[in-house]
Amino acid sequence: MATLLVSQGTPMLLAGDDKLAVVRRHERCPAVETLVADYLGGLDLVLVEGWKHATLPRIELHRPALGQPLLCRGDAHDPHLVAVAADGPVTVDVP
Protein backbone atom coordinates (compact mmCIF):
# COMPACT_ATOMS: atom_id res chain seq x y z
CA MET A 1 0.00 0.00 0.00
CA ALA A 2 1.47 3.38 -1.01
CA THR A 3 1.01 6.59 0.91
CA LEU A 4 1.53 10.05 -0.55
CA LEU A 5 2.21 12.93 1.84
CA VAL A 6 2.52 16.48 0.50
CA SER A 7 3.38 19.53 2.57
CA GLN A 8 2.79 22.78 0.69
CA GLY A 9 3.58 21.02 -2.59
CA THR A 10 7.13 20.03 -1.68
CA PRO A 11 8.83 17.84 -0.56
CA MET A 12 6.75 14.80 -1.44
CA LEU A 13 7.09 11.48 0.34
CA LEU A 14 6.09 8.22 -1.36
CA ALA A 15 5.97 5.35 1.11
CA GLY A 16 5.11 1.68 0.85
CA ASP A 17 5.39 -1.35 3.09
CA ASP A 18 9.10 -1.88 2.39
CA LYS A 19 10.45 1.31 0.77
CA LEU A 20 10.11 5.07 0.53
CA ALA A 21 11.17 7.92 -1.73
CA VAL A 22 11.38 11.65 -1.13
CA VAL A 23 10.79 13.96 -4.10
CA ARG A 24 11.89 17.60 -3.86
CA ARG A 25 11.52 20.35 -6.43
CA HIS A 26 14.51 22.45 -7.41
CA GLU A 27 15.15 25.07 -10.06
CA ARG A 28 18.30 23.38 -11.31
CA CYS A 29 19.52 19.85 -10.75
CA PRO A 30 22.31 19.80 -8.18
CA ALA A 31 25.71 18.54 -9.27
CA VAL A 32 26.05 14.77 -9.00
CA GLU A 33 28.91 15.25 -6.54
CA THR A 34 26.48 17.13 -4.25
CA LEU A 35 23.78 14.49 -4.62
CA VAL A 36 26.22 11.69 -3.77
CA ALA A 37 27.62 13.57 -0.76
CA ASP A 38 24.16 14.54 0.58
CA TYR A 39 22.30 11.27 0.02
CA LEU A 40 24.77 8.45 -0.58
CA GLY A 41 27.85 9.49 1.39
CA GLY A 42 27.92 6.33 3.51
CA LEU A 43 28.19 3.95 0.55
CA ASP A 44 31.40 2.37 -0.72
CA LEU A 45 30.37 2.40 -4.39
CA VAL A 46 27.86 4.50 -6.33
CA LEU A 47 27.23 3.89 -10.04
CA VAL A 48 25.88 6.85 -12.00
CA GLU A 49 25.14 7.25 -15.69
CA GLY A 50 24.83 10.32 -17.86
CA TRP A 51 27.00 12.77 -15.90
CA LYS A 52 29.78 13.17 -18.48
CA HIS A 53 31.01 16.47 -17.05
CA ALA A 54 31.15 15.32 -13.42
CA THR A 55 34.46 15.16 -11.60
CA LEU A 56 33.79 11.71 -10.14
CA PRO A 57 36.20 8.82 -10.81
CA ARG A 58 34.85 6.93 -13.81
CA ILE A 59 34.96 3.50 -15.38
CA GLU A 60 34.26 3.48 -19.11
CA LEU A 61 32.49 0.52 -20.71
CA HIS A 62 33.81 -0.06 -24.22
CA ARG A 63 33.08 -2.38 -27.14
CA PRO A 64 36.04 -2.30 -29.56
CA ALA A 65 34.04 -4.18 -32.23
CA LEU A 66 31.88 -1.07 -32.73
CA GLY A 67 34.91 0.81 -34.06
CA GLN A 68 34.40 3.88 -31.86
CA PRO A 69 37.16 5.53 -29.81
CA LEU A 70 37.11 5.55 -26.03
CA LEU A 71 35.00 8.49 -24.86
CA CYS A 72 37.40 9.36 -22.05
CA ARG A 73 40.49 9.08 -24.25
CA GLY A 74 39.15 10.32 -27.57
CA ASP A 75 39.18 14.02 -28.48
CA ALA A 76 39.08 15.01 -24.81
CA HIS A 77 41.39 13.35 -22.28
CA ASP A 78 39.33 12.81 -19.11
CA PRO A 79 41.61 12.84 -16.05
CA HIS A 80 38.91 11.13 -13.96
CA LEU A 81 39.11 7.82 -15.88
CA VAL A 82 40.35 5.11 -13.53
CA ALA A 83 39.53 1.94 -15.50
CA VAL A 84 38.11 0.55 -18.74
CA ALA A 85 35.92 -2.55 -18.97
CA ALA A 86 35.90 -3.95 -22.50
CA ASP A 87 34.80 -7.08 -24.33
CA GLY A 88 37.99 -7.09 -26.39
CA PRO A 89 41.56 -5.80 -26.34
CA VAL A 90 42.11 -2.06 -25.84
CA THR A 91 45.23 0.04 -25.47
CA VAL A 92 44.78 2.53 -22.67
CA ASP A 93 46.79 4.10 -19.84
CA VAL A 94 44.52 2.76 -17.04
CA PRO A 95 43.64 -0.79 -15.94
Side-chain angles (χ1 to χ4, degrees):
M1 180 172 118
T3 304
L4 174 64
L5 304 173
V6 180
S7 173
Q8 300 177 8
T10 189
M12 181 177 10
L13 174 67
L14 302 168
D17 291 338
D18 62 344
K19 58 186 164 249
L20 67 88
V22 176
V23 179
R24 294 188 173 115
R25 292 193 180 275
H26 50 79
E27 291 186 26
R28 167 177 259 173
C29 184
V32 69
E33 295 87 349
T34 301
L35 294 171
V36 169
D38 289 352
Y39 298 103
L40 306 170
L43 300 178
D44 293 329
L45 177 67
V46 176
L47 298 177
V48 297
E49 182 181 4
W51 300 84
K52 291 182 181 177
H53 301 290
T55 60
L56 297 171
R58 65 184 77 240
I59 299 170
E60 182 170 338
L61 305 179
H62 185 66
R63 298 191 76 190
L66 297 179
Q68 299 295 319
L70 289 163
L71 296 175
C72 292
R73 290 296 187 261
D75 294 334
H77 180 88
D78 188 337
H80 305 290
L81 182 68
V82 296
V84 173
D87 62 352
V90 293
T91 302
V92 66
D93 59 337
V94 295

